[in-house]
Amino acid sequence: MRVLAMLDGTLADPGAPHIRVDDLGLTRGDGVFETVLVVDGQPRELGPHLARLSRSAAMLELPAPDLAAWERLVGIVIGAWTEPGEMAVKLVYTRGPEYSGGGPTGYAIGLPIGGRAVRNRTSGVTAVTLERGFDPAVVERAPWLLLGAKTLSYAVNMAAMRHAEKLGVDEVIFVGDDGTVLEGPTSTVVVASGGTLRTPPPSSGVLPGTTQGALFRAAERAGWSTKVEPLRADELATADGLFVVSSVRKVTRVHTLDGAALPDATELGTALNALYEAEYR
Ligand code: PLP
């Protein structure tokens, strides 16, 4: 099942064409997006997702999104969804048509969550470290690279995922030229060691993750310490647990990195997922 609502709040046929061929989101990847997890009709971390949509739009110098309208739109999509369990709502906001005027394009689409992502949450995943091709020091120097904005220009991210698939590996962990850990193509990296959760900082050009934020909030309440600080790639293999987290993945354990088995973090993964889930009860 799929449900589409345009930014003016009208429901539309998700199988019919709605986007102009000169839309800059399509021709240049010039736009931003968010993917929100919805469980039993409740969107998770909607405030942080909308705040990030605003931040990304500001980095692209798009008109500020009307967050009340986007929140209503999420409600409309969820209201029209008739299947039980989980779904994802993808929010897409582009600069709009290049030649025909009319301003930004916006819509929200409700999508089912793939079985593989759900299975990986319990089975854990294999991952490979891949070069991202920049030194985090460039983030400050070159704001036009839009590092840390959730833009529609995800062709590189998708290519990295296909590269991993060809290697027979589930997930990618990008590493910077300075040897520090960045993020996955669509996930945040979290390591657990001795009662501390760590994740790389947004200043290294990674997206501040809404799931990582929720997990750290929950973990702190349960007595964990948390650190947002640079992580060296060679620390990944020796941590008590390595996780890729995102709205769709939740907290997914990595059991094998670059072909080598990691310390068993099954119990740790179960405990962290329980903390994360308790945020929504
Ligand atoms: N990093 C990148 C590059 C992403 O695309 C995503 C989500 O798609 C994330 C991190 C995780 O973010 P969130 O937890 O908000 O889904």
Side-chain angles (χ1 to χ4, degrees), residues 62-140:
L62 287 168
D66 174 352
L67 295 190
W70 281 99
E71 191 170 345
R72 269 196 305 279
L73 206 57
V74 172
I76 289 168
V77 171
I78 294 172
W81 189 267
T82 54
E83 290 174 359
E86 294 186 2
M87 66 179 287
V89 181
K90 188 165 181 177
L91 314 180
V92 179
Y93 183 53
T94 85
R95 202 174 300 279
E98 183 168 12
Y99 300 110
S100 26
T105 301
Y107 60 88
I109 185 157
L111 301 162
I113 291 187
R116 188 165 146 203
V118 173
R119 281 193 301 278
N120 285 350
R121 291 176 192 162
T122 36
S123 65
V125 292
T126 56
V128 61
T129 51
L130 295 181
E131 291 174 81
R132 181 65 179 80
F134 67 80
D135 186 312
V138 80
V139 176
E140 280 281 300

Side-chain angles (χ1 to χ4, degrees), residues 220-267:
E220 278 166 22
R221 268 209 294 279
W224 286 74
S225 62
T226 63
K227 286 186 178 155
V228 179
E229 63 178 18
L231 272 174
R232 294 198 49 81
D234 57 18
E235 295 178 77
L236 296 178
T238 54
D240 298 342
L242 170 63
F243 303 91
V244 283
V245 315
S246 73
S247 300
V248 168
R249 288 173 184 79
K250 299 185 176 176
V251 183
T252 294
R253 172 176 55 94
V254 178
H255 58 67
T256 306
L257 182 67
D258 295 331
L262 297 178
D264 183 7
T266 314
E267 268 181 40

